[in-house]
Amino acid sequence: MTVPTEFSIGEAAAIVGVHAHTLRAWERRYAVVLPSRSRSNQRRYTIEDIRLLRAVKEAIGERSRSVKRVVQQVGSGHGDAAHSTAAPRPALSSSRQSVWRTAMDLVPVIVLLVGPDGQVVDTNAAAEVDLGVPGEQLRGRPFVDLVAPDQRGQAAEVCFQPLRERRGLQLQVRRGTSPMTYVFDCWPVRTAAKHQVLVVVGHQLAS
C-alpha cells in the first residue's frame, strides 16, 4: 500500500510534538517551514518539512535557545545545534515506503499506519521499542491486539468506518507484564493510490 507523503497541520503538529498554533507562529515569525497549500488553502507538510521541524523543536528544548537562533543553525545545516539534534540524513530511496520509514524513525513517539480493516500497515522504530514487538510482527496485526483485553472494544472504534479524526483517546498498551497508558490521536489520510488509512500517534501518559 502506498503511504501518505503529505500531512495536514494537525498531523504534522502531533508528529513533531507541538501545538498547531506553534507551527503557525514559527512559519509567520521565522519562516521555519513554508508548507504548500491545498486547493482549499489548507497547509500541507511534506516528510522533509516534518524532519526539519522536529530538529528545530529538539534543539530548542535541549539547548533552551531562541527559536530564531536555532532556525538559523538547523536551516543552514551548520552549528552545534544542527549536529547535536539531527541524525545524518541518509540518501532517500525513490520508494515512498523508504521515505516514510526514514522520516518516521526520527520521531520518538509511537506512529502507526492502520488500514481500514483495522490491521497495522506500517510502524516506526519508536513503536517497536515501546511495544517490545519487532516491526515484522506488528505489520498485519490487528490494532486492538496491542491494548489491554478490557479495552479492545474502545480500540476497535478507532477503525469503524468511515474513518474519522479522534483526539485524546487513552488506552492501556500491552507491554509485557506492565501495561502503560498512552494517549492516542488519530487522523484518516488518503494515500496517493486513493486508499484511506489511519495515522495513529501515541504519547505515553506521564505518571
Side-chain angles (χ1 to χ4, degrees), residues 26-160:
W26 287 358
E27 176 186 341
R28 183 175 64 256
R29 298 174 186 172
Y30 311 108
V32 177
V33 163
L34 300 176
S36 62
R37 298 279 184 150
S38 67
R39 291 183 178 179
S40 57
N41 203 35
Q42 299 298 309
R43 291 174 174 83
R44 305 301 297 174
Y45 293 82
T46 66
I47 289 174
E48 191 64 24
D49 291 338
I50 291 173
R51 185 203 302 272
L52 177 57
L53 291 167
R54 184 72 207 174
V56 170
K57 191 253 187 182
E58 291 181 357
I60 293 169
E62 293 180 6
R63 301 284 182 171
S64 298
R65 294 177 173 176
S66 71
V67 177
K68 183 176 181 180
R69 177 73 60 83
V70 167
V71 168
Q72 291 172 343
Q73 293 177 327
V74 174
S76 66
H78 299 292
D80 60 333
H83 290 293
S84 64
T85 60
R89 296 185 180 183
L92 296 180
S93 163
S94 60
S95 165
R96 289 191 178 94
Q97 186 73 17
S98 296
V99 174
W100 155 265
R101 190 173 308 283
T102 299
M104 291 302 98
D105 282 350
L106 297 174
V107 180
V109 297
I110 289 177
V111 181
L112 303 170
L113 280 185
V114 179
D117 58 357
Q119 294 186 344
V120 176
V121 176
D122 207 349
T123 181
N124 69 340
E128 298 180 36
V129 173
D130 277 23
L131 301 176
V133 181
E136 59 269 19
Q137 294 181 24
L138 283 173
R139 288 185 282 276
R141 187 170 179 176
F143 176 67
V144 297
D145 284 357
L146 304 179
V147 305
D150 61 339
Q151 294 187 325
R152 287 171 61 91
Q154 190 178 3
E157 294 179 6
V158 171
C159 306
F160 284 173

Side-chain angles (χ1 to χ4, degrees), residues 147-205:
V147 305
D150 61 339
Q151 294 187 325
R152 287 171 61 91
Q154 190 178 3
E157 294 179 6
V158 171
C159 306
F160 284 173
Q161 298 294 320
L163 297 176
R164 64 185 181 87
E165 180 178 330
R166 294 175 184 270
R167 298 290 186 97
L169 178 64
Q170 292 190 21
L171 294 172
Q172 286 281 327
V173 172
R174 300 169 66 178
R175 294 180 56 186
T177 58
S178 303
M180 299 295 294
T181 300
Y182 279 76
V183 178
F184 289 95
D185 294 327
C186 313
W187 296 270
V189 297
R190 193 165 296 279
T191 69
K194 307 303 182 183
H195 298 296
Q196 193 175 48
V197 296
L198 199 66
V199 177
V200 180
V201 179
H203 302 261
Q204 185 174 335
L205 191 63

